[in-house]
C-alpha cells in the first residue's frame, strides 16, 4: 500500500497542494483497493496494469476510460511491460515468470524457477528475451526466449565469492552486454564475439577474463541499453552514469536522493531517470536536464514516454 513519498530514509506525507498536482481529480484512476502492490503503464500509455494482494488479483485498466478491462485471478510480486511497442507484460511470482497479453489476459508463456532470491529481472529491447539473475545460479546471466522456451546462460564464474551477477543488459543487436557484480560494484562489457548463440557458453570457460571494465564507485541498482545501441547506462545510489558503445564514459547525472532506475527514450537521444520524489529527462549528448517534475512512487514505461504515480488507491498516468 502506497501512502507516502520517501526521501532517503525519511518519509513524509504529501501536502494537499502537492496532491492536486500529482493526482488531479479529473485524471485520477481509482483501484478501489488498499492492497495495491505495483502499477505499470504500457509504452503507448493506453493500458495500466495493477497488482493486488488482497484479494490476490491483477487488474488491467483502460487509461483513457479510467475503468478496468479485465481481472486476472493471479497475484504477481512485480511486473513490467516487455517493450515499448507491446501490450505484453511479464509477471513474476515466487516460483516463476508469466508472459501475459494485457488486452486479452491470455497466458502466452511460463517459465518455472526455483523459489530462490531473484536479484534482478529485465527485458531485451525487442521484448523477446527476459534476462534474469538469481541466487540459484549466482554467477550467471540467464536469458529466456519466451517465444521458443529456450533458456541460455552466460557464466561469469571466478575465484571470488563476489562474482555473483546482480544486473544485466544486452545490446539491441545482441553482440555486447553489460553486467554488474556484487564484490566490486562495477560493470563489465563483454567483447563482440559473445553473440546470442554463444550465450550458451560452457560454464567451465569464464567469460569475464576478456571484459572491459566500467568504473563506478557506488552500489549499482540497474543497467540498461538505449534502443539504438549507441549508449548504455549504469544507475547507482549516486545517480546515473552513461557510456558509449565502446564503454567510454559520456556523462553523469544525479538527483538529490536515491535513484530507482533509468529508461532511454525510443530514439536513444534522451533518458528518463527517477527517484522517489523527482523525475528528470536528460539529453544524452549534452548531459543537460531538459525538464523535471515532482512524482510519488512512480513507474516509467518502456520507451520513457509515459509514467504512472501511485498514492494509496489512486493513480495518475501522465506523459513524461
Amino acid at each position: 500500500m502506497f501512502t507516502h513519498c520517501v526521501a532517503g530514509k525519511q518519509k513524509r506525507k504529501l501536502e494537499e497542494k502537492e496532491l492536486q498536482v500529482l493526482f488531479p481529480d479529473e485524471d485520477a484512476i481509482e483501484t478501489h483497493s488498499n492492497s495495491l502492490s505495483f502499477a505499470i503503464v504500457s509504452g503507448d500509455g493506453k493500458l495500466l496494469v495493477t497488482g493486488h494482494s488482497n484479494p490476490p488479483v491483477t487488474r488491467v485498466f483502460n487509461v483513457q476510460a479510467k475503468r478496468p478491462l479485465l481481472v486476472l485471478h493471479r497475484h504477481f510480486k512485480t511486473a513490467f511491460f516487455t517493450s515499448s511497442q507491446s501490450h505484453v507484460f511479464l509477471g513474476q511470482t515466487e516460483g516463476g515468470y508469466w508472459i501475459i497479453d494485457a488486452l486479452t489476459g491470455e497466458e502466452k508463456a511460463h517459465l518455472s524457477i526455483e523459489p530462490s532470491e531473484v536479484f534482478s529481472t529485465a527485458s531485451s529491447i525487442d521484448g523477446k528475451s527476459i534476462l534474469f539473475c538469481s541466487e540459484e545460479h549466482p554467477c550467471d546471466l540467464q536469458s529466456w526466449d519466451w517465444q521458443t522456451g529456450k533458456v541460455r546462460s552466460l557464466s561469469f564464474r571466478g575465484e571470488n565469492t563476489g562474482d555473483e551477477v546482480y544486473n544485466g543488459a544486452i545490446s539491441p543487436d545482441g553482440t555486447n552486454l553489460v553486467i554488474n557484480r556484487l564484490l566490486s560494484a562495477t560493470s563489465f562489457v563483454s567483447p563482440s564475439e559473445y553473440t546470442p548463440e554463444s550465450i550458451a557458453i560452457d560454464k567451465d570457460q569464464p567469460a569475464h577474463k576478456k571484459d572491459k571494465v566500467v568504473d563506478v564507485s557506488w552500489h549499482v541498482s540497474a543497467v540498461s541499453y538505449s534502443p539504438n545501441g549507441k549508449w548504455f547506462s549504469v544507475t547507482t545510489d549516486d545517480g546515473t552514469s552513461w557510456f558509449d558503445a565502446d564503454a567510454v564514459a559520456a556523462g553523469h547525472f544525479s538527483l538529490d536522493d536515491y535513484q530507482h532506475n533509468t529508461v532511454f527514450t525510443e530514439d536513444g537521444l534522451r533518458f528518463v531517470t527517477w527517484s522517489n520524489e523527482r523525475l528528470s529527462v536528460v539529453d544524452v549528448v549534452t548531459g543537460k536536464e531538459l525538464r523535471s517534475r515532482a512524482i510519488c512512487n512512480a513507474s516509467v514505461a518502456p520507451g520513457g514516454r509515459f509514467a504512472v504515480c501511485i498514492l494509496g488507491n489512486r493513480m495518475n498516468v501522465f506523459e513524461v
Side-chain angles (χ1 to χ4, degrees):
M1 176 180 174
F2 299 94
T3 57
H4 298 77
C5 276
V6 183
K9 296 181 180 180
Q10 301 297 319
K11 292 186 177 182
R12 67 177 181 85
K13 290 187 177 181
L14 291 171
E15 300 296 333
E16 187 63 31
K17 186 176 180 180
E18 293 177 287
L19 285 173
Q20 285 303 313
V21 173
L22 293 175
F23 302 94
D25 292 337
E26 64 273 16
D27 294 333
I29 298 174
E30 298 278 351
T31 67
H32 304 291
S33 169
N34 289 323
S35 63
L36 183 65
S37 53
F38 68 82
I40 57 173
V41 62
S42 60
D44 58 8
K46 294 181 178 180
L47 298 179
L48 177 70
V49 177
T50 62
H52 308 264
S53 58
N54 186 24
V57 297
T58 300
R59 292 186 173 92
V60 180
F61 288 81
N62 179 310
V63 172
Q64 185 175 9
K66 300 180 179 58
R67 59 177 178 80
L69 285 176
L70 53 88
V71 177
L72 306 176
H73 293 280
R74 183 185 299 279
H75 173 62
F76 299 112
K77 292 171 55 180
T78 186
F80 58 80
F81 280 94
T82 58
S83 80
S84 61
Q85 305 295 321
S86 175
H87 286 156
V88 168
F89 72 91
L90 175 135
Q92 180 183 338
T93 65
E94 288 288 347
Y97 295 118
W98 301 80
I99 299 292
I100 308 290
D101 187 327
L103 282 173
T104 65
E106 176 190 359
E107 296 177 356
K108 303 181 75 69
H110 172 237
L111 176 68
S112 295
I113 59 174
E114 291 295 321
S116 57
E117 180 182 1
V118 175
F119 302 143
S120 68
T121 308
S123 176
S124 59
I125 296 295
D126 60 10
K128 296 179 180 179
S129 297
I130 304 300
L131 311 175
F132 60 98
C133 309
S134 69
E135 193 175 47
E136 183 185 6
H137 301 284
C139 299
D140 296 355
L141 172 64
Q142 295 186 281
S143 174
W144 172 40
D145 184 328
W146 60 266
Q147 294 179 325
T148 66
K150 184 175 291 187
V151 178
R152 295 169 175 169
S153 295
L154 180 58
S155 177
F156 290 86
R157 187 169 302 175
E159 297 178 357
N160 299 316
T161 57
D163 284 327
E164 291 94 335
V165 179
Y166 267 54
N167 299 280
I170 294 180
S171 62
D173 62 4
T175 60
N176 289 295
L177 61 89
V178 181
I179 68 162
N180 163 247
R181 282 185 277 193
L182 173 65
L183 186 63
S184 55
T186 57
S187 297
F188 297 77
V189 183
S190 78
S192 59
E193 58 258 32
Y194 294 118
T195 61
E197 289 72 27
S198 67
I199 286 180
I201 190 171
D202 190 316
K203 293 183 185 299
D204 293 328
Q205 300 176 7
H208 70 276
K209 291 183 178 179
K210 299 179 181 179
D211 296 337
K212 299 176 184 178
V213 177
V214 175
D215 187 20
V216 292
S217 58
W218 294 74
H219 170 72
V220 175
S221 58
V223 294
S224 62
Y225 262 98
S226 64
N228 60 11
K230 293 183 178 181
W231 314 93
F232 67 86
S233 67
V234 181
T235 304
T236 73
D237 292 354
D238 186 46
T240 295
S241 297
W242 65 100
F243 306 81
D244 68 15
D246 294 320
V248 176
H252 179 82
F253 180 83
S254 181
L255 294 168
D256 292 335
D257 59 340
Y258 176 75
Q259 286 179 270
H260 287 193
N261 213 331
T262 302
V263 173
F264 284 95
T265 56
E266 201 66 27
D267 57 13
L269 299 178
R270 297 169 297 279
F271 64 79
V272 182
T273 186
W274 66 98
S275 65
N276 288 300
E277 294 189 333
R278 183 150 297 276
L279 176 148
S280 294
V281 180
V282 179
D283 186 290
V284 174
V285 176
T286 66
K288 292 183 178 179
E289 182 182 55
L290 302 177
R291 54 188 177 273
S292 178
R293 63 165 286 165
I295 58 172
C296 183
N297 300 314
S299 171
V300 177
R305 184 181 172 189
F306 291 94
V308 56
C309 279
I310 311 161
L311 184 70
N313 61 357
R314 302 180 71 197
M315 298 167 293
N316 178 30
V317 175
F318 60 93
E319 191 165 5
V320 173

